[in-house]
Amino acid sequence: MPLPSAEAAKTPTSGPGEERILAIDCLPSLAAVIEARGIGPLVHARHDHLDARLLAKVDPGHVVAPLVTAGFDAIELCETLRRLGYRGRFSAFAGRLPNARTVLAELRAHCPEIRIDIVEVDGL
């Protein structure tokens, strides 16, 4: 199932105090895992459509994405977000990692302006 384009991404209705969550290149299986953890609703977009206009339209307080995809990794995504002026939260989802703390430290060193977390999920 293809991911929606930036133009197709719809900004969900948010209640007072709810933050918008931008999901970058999250396949349906990953989106289901994220939403099962109580993170949502998600606004879906593709990495290659991420730009200042999309960030302004969605105005996310939280961005979620896979740690690694065929087209980019979390470091590249964080650097793009930082360059676009994003200063919110970023959560990278991955299967179990041999040393998640080392990966997290590297991500945070590249983009200290963004609050970064890694979420490990069995079977991902």
Side-chain angles (χ1 to χ4, degrees):
M1 179 175 184
L3 294 165
S5 68
E7 294 78 37
K10 292 191 170 94
T11 305
T13 304
S14 298
E18 290 182 11
E19 68 181 349
R20 291 197 178 104
I21 301 160
L22 180 60
I24 303 295
D25 283 2
C26 289
L27 295 174
S29 57
L30 177 55
V33 167
I34 293 169
E35 289 175 338
R37 291 176 169 259
I39 301 171
L42 302 177
V43 176
H44 293 272
R46 291 180 28 193
H47 178 258
D48 57 349
H49 290 133
L50 182 59
D51 60 14
R53 194 173 115 218
L54 175 65
L55 277 180
K57 178 180 177 182
V58 177
D59 191 25
H62 193 175
V63 175
V64 297
L67 180 66
V68 178
T69 71
F72 67 94
D73 64 24
I75 288 177
E76 293 172 272
L77 178 56
C78 284
E79 288 175 346
T80 299
L81 290 167
R82 180 187 52 79
R83 192 172 52 253
L84 293 171
Y86 179 73
R87 298 296 182 263
R89 290 177 52 207
F90 172 70
S91 296
F93 283 76
R96 294 291 170 196
L97 300 170
N99 195 337
R101 288 195 304 188
T102 300
V103 176
L104 182 58
E106 185 175 349
L107 282 167
R108 288 178 174 170
H110 274 81
C111 298
E113 307 89 349
I114 298 173
R115 294 182 312 274
I116 301 171
D117 293 306
I118 293 178
V119 181
E120 295 178 282
V121 179
D122 286 328
L124 191 62

